[in-house]
Amino acid sequence: MAERRSIVGRRAVERFFSPYDISDFGLEALASMCRIHTRSGSHDRTLLAPGGTKRARAVFVQWGCIQTNAHGFTRLWKGRIFFFRSTGRSYMPEIYSRGNFRAFSVPESFLREIVQRDASIGAALLQLSLKQQQIADDIYGVRADPPLARVATLLEYLAQERSTPVWDVDTGAVVAQRTRHVIDGPTQTDMAEALGLGRATVEKALAELRKAGALAAPDRRRNRYYEIADTDLIRLISMGMDP
């Protein structure tokens, strides 16, 4: 059982850091101490980190929609993002899942030690931090854009690729894979709080995006689920184009 947990941990760390060139030592070290967190088939909000300044675990989100609350600000994030207090005095946000997710965590003190011993881990975390800051500025920074563009920008960011099989109606065989860009988990209230808009404003923007063909019609079988029907169009709208 311990060996299987080690293999699962190694795969989780490898997948998260796949865009970055980190050492085998760093991979093995993080895998040896990581704890896997996962949920599927539920939209219940799950607390991953309580927040505050007390000793906690660094959280690495592989995929799914994550909501954070810190200093009165709500934010929504998607996978390949991490939360880590670089010092014991810094602040950790409250972290909740919004729908299905997969993440792993390691003790903060252990991660600080690994960063000091392995420059490749420190470099990867620095690149991730800069990317996360850029995302925060682009989506949640002070913007004079109309609400429609801001909602489109948030949806474009949160969308994650999901492959579904295409079946042959005669043979029943899988003949292709269809890639969908979906946002699964956040409510309209979540999006409104993250963007500092009213819920009715977000609801109106979603209706306009569906009318324009950027978003697919709502799926009555799924709650808190949005599918981007035209990725190019929603990108143009996020840049300010009038649909």
Side-chain angles (χ1 to χ4, degrees):
M1 183 65 70
E3 182 179 356
R4 184 177 183 277
R5 283 200 300 267
S6 177
I7 293 173
V8 171
R10 168 88 185 200
R11 288 175 180 171
V13 175
E14 283 181 335
R15 288 171 181 168
F16 186 90
F17 286 102
S18 59
Y20 307 96
D21 186 20
I22 67 173
S23 69
D24 287 338
F25 167 78
L27 284 174
E28 293 292 348
L30 291 176
S32 70
M33 295 294 288
C34 82
R35 178 188 301 167
I36 302 296
H37 310 267
T38 184
R39 177 178 289 272
S40 60
S42 172
H43 279 139
D44 293 340
R45 210 166 70 146
T46 302
L47 180 66
L48 295 180
T53 56
K54 294 183 179 180
R55 184 168 55 185
R57 298 177 69 87
V59 178
F60 298 80
V61 182
Q62 295 172 266
W63 57 264
C65 183
I66 297 297
Q67 181 186 63
T68 60
N69 297 306
H71 307 297
F73 293 98
T74 297
R75 297 289 183 259
L76 293 170
W77 308 89
K78 74 173 182 181
R80 190 160 281 135
I81 195 165
F82 83 106
F83 303 94
F84 166 51
R85 296 187 312 151
S86 56
T87 69
R89 295 182 179 180
S90 51
Y91 189 89
M92 186 78 161
E94 292 179 335
I95 306 173
Y96 297 89
S97 72
R98 298 304 280 143
N100 301 336
F101 76 94
R102 186 175 182 84
F104 66 89
S105 65
V106 297
E108 285 184 334
S109 57
F110 176 77
L111 183 58
R112 293 192 194 105
E113 179 183 344
I114 294 301
V115 167
Q116 292 178 352
R117 297 178 59 186
D118 188 336
S120 69
I121 295 293
L125 295 184
L126 177 59
Q127 292 180 64
L128 281 162
S129 296
L130 293 174
K131 184 177 180 180
Q132 289 174 211
Q133 185 58 56
Q134 187 62 57
I135 291 170
D137 292 342
D138 291 343
I139 299 175
Y140 304 116
V142 177
R143 295 179 56 179
D145 297 338
L148 180 63
R150 297 185 63 198
V151 172
T153 300
L154 178 61
L155 291 174
E156 183 187 16
Y157 162 64
L158 290 177
Q160 300 186 86
E161 290 188 359
R162 184 171 297 173
S163 296
T164 55
V166 178
W167 304 87
D168 185 292
V169 293
D170 295 323
T171 65
V174 176
V175 295
Q177 292 286 335
R178 178 187 174 191
T179 299
R180 296 179 175 179
H181 296 83
V182 302
I183 302 96
D184 193 3
T187 66
Q188 294 177 13
T189 300
D190 294 334
M191 290 188 278
E193 290 178 352
L195 294 173
L197 300 172
R199 186 182 183 281
T201 301
V202 170
E203 188 174 357
K204 179 182 177 182
L206 293 173
E208 291 183 39
L209 291 170
R210 291 188 176 110
K211 183 178 179 180
L215 274 186
D219 188 336
R220 297 183 182 276
R221 298 168 300 175
R222 299 181 182 180
N223 190 25
R224 307 175 188 173
Y225 179 89
Y226 315 86
E227 180 177 346
I228 295 179
D230 190 327
T231 55
D232 292 331
L233 180 55
I234 203 164
R235 181 173 296 111
L236 290 172
I237 294 173
S238 72
M239 296 170 63
M241 187 193 82
D242 189 349

